[in-house]
Amino acid sequence: MPFDLQPSFRALSDPSRRDILRLLGAQEMSVADVAQHFDMTRAAVKKHLNVLDEGGLITTRKRGRERLNRLNAEGLRPVVDWLSWFDQFWDQRLDALKAAIEEIEDPNLTPKETEDD
Amino acid sequence: MPFDLQPSFRALSDPSRRDILRLLGAQEMSVADVAQHFDMTRAAVKKHLNVLDEGGLITTRKRGRERLNRLNAEGLRPVVDWLSWFDQFWDQRLDALKAAIEEIEDPNLTPKETEDD
DNA sequence: TTGACAGGATACCAAAAGGTATCACAACAT
DNA sequence: ATGTTGTGATACCTTTTGGTATCCTGTCAA
């Protein structure tokens, strides 16, 4: 069964959640800490954190009565992998451009094969 | 003013739209062509195409009475760029691994600089 | 010219999403 | 023990979203 990308993409689809992610990149933070950076109630932030957690984009641990939220960059991997499927489409254009430039700079270079490979 | 990522991320947040994107990777298709691949009305597909267009993920051109939709992989670039900010968090681990592998494969290679450049 | 056919646009509906307010609970300090 | 503080869960509201049905427009073929 294929990995379900939906929770991850869904988590990334909200600007506040993307901001939270980058915020957590700086350091592990409690719910209240995160909430302090936004014009939202703590409850709203908590919901966002839940969605991020479901998307596998953060991990949490309890310390005393507070819940610390940490960025889980590994969770972005499936998303990046999915996106990388499209590399073939701009790479072909980019490769063509690069080849054209190289052709101009060095007309004797044959782009088809390189022998020292 | 920073580029607005929201339309792109929003466009990617729906599974049907992600499927459409990959479908259009194969070839340029009309609205009806796309709709044929889904259990949705043509109108619903058209809405998805609108969202994808707003996200800059596809381009369209008219041929006669039909509208051809084409993948615009370049539109994914801002998304990939945003995600690449998080490279610093798993790359430190990945770079170590990659360096280790390269070291095994070619111990004489110095990754810092190449002279014939 | 007159149909047929591919697209667009709009109104409308049900469900999901973002948000607040509120209550209940656990843990810390005194 | 008791009050305070950080959190979790729920009910509720409004807006957005995915979807359909419907109507209108433009274009191709006879």
Side-chain angles (χ1 to χ4, degrees), chain A residues 33-50:
Chain A
D33 287 340
V34 175
Q36 205 168 6
H37 289 76
F38 293 90
D39 192 20
M40 263 185 286
T41 62
R42 193 177 43 76
V45 169
K46 178 56 169 62
K47 278 194 178 181
H48 282 309
L49 289 171
N50 283 342

Side-chain angles (χ1 to χ4, degrees), chain B residues 11-105:
Chain B
L12 290 173
S13 71
D14 182 86
S16 299
R17 284 195 289 267
R18 290 197 301 277
D19 288 344
I20 291 176
L21 265 196
R22 297 197 67 147
L23 191 60
L24 292 180
Q27 58 177 322
E28 199 176 30
M29 294 173 71
S30 73
V31 179
D33 287 341
V34 176
Q36 206 168 4
H37 288 75
F38 294 89
D39 192 20
M40 262 186 286
T41 61
R42 192 174 43 76
V45 169
K46 178 56 168 62
K47 278 194 177 181
H48 283 310
L49 289 170
N50 284 341
V51 175
L52 287 170
D53 190 37
E54 289 164 12
L57 270 35
I58 64 171
T59 59
T60 64
R61 68 186 178 94
K62 273 187 74 174
R63 187 182 60 184
R65 60 180 160 180
E66 48 187 2
R67 169 81 64 180
L68 297 182
N69 304 273
R70 175 184 293 242
L71 169 68
N72 178 34
E74 290 294 332
L76 289 173
R77 184 63 74 99
V79 173
V80 172
D81 286 347
W82 186 89
L83 288 170
S84 70
W85 182 85
F86 293 89
D87 287 2
Q88 57 185 305
F89 298 104
W90 33 272
D91 261 8
Q92 58 197 19
R93 189 181 313 182
L94 218 63
D95 282 351
L97 180 64
K98 202 169 82 176
I101 290 173
E102 283 173 352
E103 187 65 16
I104 291 169
E105 289 181 340

Side-chain angles (χ1 to χ4, degrees), chain A residues 29-93:
Chain A
M29 294 173 71
S30 73
V31 179
D33 287 340
V34 175
Q36 205 168 6
H37 289 76
F38 293 90
D39 192 20
M40 263 185 286
T41 62
R42 193 177 43 76
V45 169
K46 178 56 169 62
K47 278 194 178 181
H48 282 309
L49 289 171
N50 283 342
V51 175
L52 287 170
D53 190 37
E54 288 165 11
L57 270 36
I58 64 171
T59 59
T60 65
R61 69 186 177 96
K62 273 188 75 174
R63 187 183 59 186
R65 60 179 160 184
E66 50 189 359
R67 168 82 63 182
L68 297 182
N69 303 273
R70 175 184 292 244
L71 169 68
N72 178 33
E74 291 295 330
L76 290 173
R77 182 62 74 97
V79 173
V80 171
D81 286 348
W82 186 89
L83 288 169
S84 71
W85 183 85
F86 293 90
D87 288 2
Q88 57 185 309
F89 297 106
W90 34 272
D91 267 4
Q92 65 193 16
R93 191 181 309 182

Side-chain angles (χ1 to χ4, degrees), chain A residues 102 109-117:
Chain A
E102 284 173 351
L109 188 142
T110 69
K112 290 192 169 187
E113 296 276 339
T114 57
E115 303 183 278
D116 52 14
D117 193 42

